[in-house]
Amino acid sequence: LAKTTQPISMDSYEGQEVNITCSHNNIATNDYITWYQQFPSQGPRFIIQGYKTKVTNEVASLFIPADRKSSTLSLPRVSLSDTAVYYCLVVGTGNNRKLIWGLGTSLAVNP
Amino acid sequence: NAGVTQTPKFRVLKTGQSMTLLCAQDMNHEYMYWYRQDPGMGLRLIHYSVGEGTTAKGEVPDGYNVSRLKKQNFLLGLESAAPSQTSVYFCASSPKAAGWTEAFFGQGTRLTVV
């Protein structure tokens, strides 16, 4: 399973765009890149997944370069409620769907 | 649609006691997982199941047992609780569909072993 590396913490202000980069140098051909958000005392919540290029949904965008060794989660115009821990995972799509979690990035959005 | 429901939400155990945590999902998902999360750490996989009647060990299986007798339920057992098992436990489920990686999590069970 590919290991991921992301910054431990980030600070931002309301209304700014936040980009969190994750490296996954050993990603396999069949792996997807998935991001989750976790608030204190809650279970993680799926944000977005992608395989290559760019994916956008109502919450975020995910940018993946051609070599797929890294990815960037982009949160447009963050608010105080976006303060959370964000996890980047590389997930296989075969019969083994184990999710291996790192420490995540603790994002603090300030007023 | 309740999603993933964990029972109980809170529990205090004495060292050596046993208990079972129940996870129930109503989304007909094939995969189910049990994780523990300790302060300042990411989630660590205890056991998981890829279908009814199957279970497999994760990263930290020692001291825990699991069963998946029904597709919708995944039970986590502690036979003899230890203080090191004080943690927040999360259950999750996900579908088997190809290219689908989203997992749905319960709200967690906060367990304290004294």
Side-chain angles (χ1 to χ4, degrees), chain A residues 15-87:
Chain A
Q16 288 188 333
E17 177 184 77
V18 171
N19 296 308
I20 306 174
T21 297
C22 177
S23 65
H24 26 79
N25 292 319
N26 297 321
I27 190 168
T29 302
N30 295 328
D31 290 343
Y32 277 69
I33 299 152
T34 306
W35 286 80
Y36 285 79
Q37 175 191 57
Q38 186 180 26
F39 297 112
S41 302
Q42 294 187 23
R45 182 176 72 99
F46 173 89
I47 300 175
I48 195 167
Q49 75 168 41
Y51 185 78
K52 59 181 179 180
T53 64
K54 176 184 175 181
V55 180
T56 298
N57 62 21
E58 64 277 6
V59 176
S61 294
L62 179 59
F63 299 91
I64 305 169
D67 66 5
R68 304 200 327 122
K69 294 184 182 299
S70 67
S71 60
T72 299
L73 175 72
S74 181
L75 304 172
R77 298 179 297 280
V78 294
S79 64
L80 295 177
S81 62
D82 292 315
T83 294
V85 179
Y86 292 83
Y87 293 95

Side-chain angles (χ1 to χ4, degrees), chain B residues 7-73:
Chain B
T7 309
K9 291 184 172 51
F10 302 93
R11 185 73 184 269
V12 178
L13 282 181
K14 293 183 179 179
T15 298
Q17 286 185 321
S18 63
M19 79 164 294
T20 300
L21 282 67
L22 171 64
C23 177
Q25 54 98 0
D26 61 4
M27 297 170 283
N28 201 35
H29 288 169
E30 286 80 8
Y31 298 105
M32 295 189 75
Y33 314 84
W34 273 108
Y35 292 90
R36 61 176 289 174
Q37 187 172 33
D38 299 301
M41 297 183 69
L43 282 76
R44 291 185 291 170
L45 182 64
I46 304 172
H47 286 279
Y48 66 102
S49 168
V50 299
E52 180 179 321
T54 73
T55 62
K57 295 180 179 180
E59 302 172 83
V60 289
D62 293 342
Y64 305 94
N65 57 77
V66 289
S67 65
R68 184 120 180 251
L69 299 179
K70 295 183 178 181
K71 186 177 184 179
Q72 64 268 32
N73 296 335

Side-chain angles (χ1 to χ4, degrees), chain B residues 67-86:
Chain B
S67 65
R68 184 120 180 251
L69 299 179
K70 295 183 178 181
K71 186 177 184 179
Q72 64 268 32
N73 296 335
F74 195 29
L75 279 63
L76 178 71
L78 286 73
E79 291 186 348
S80 180
S84 61
Q85 294 178 305
T86 293

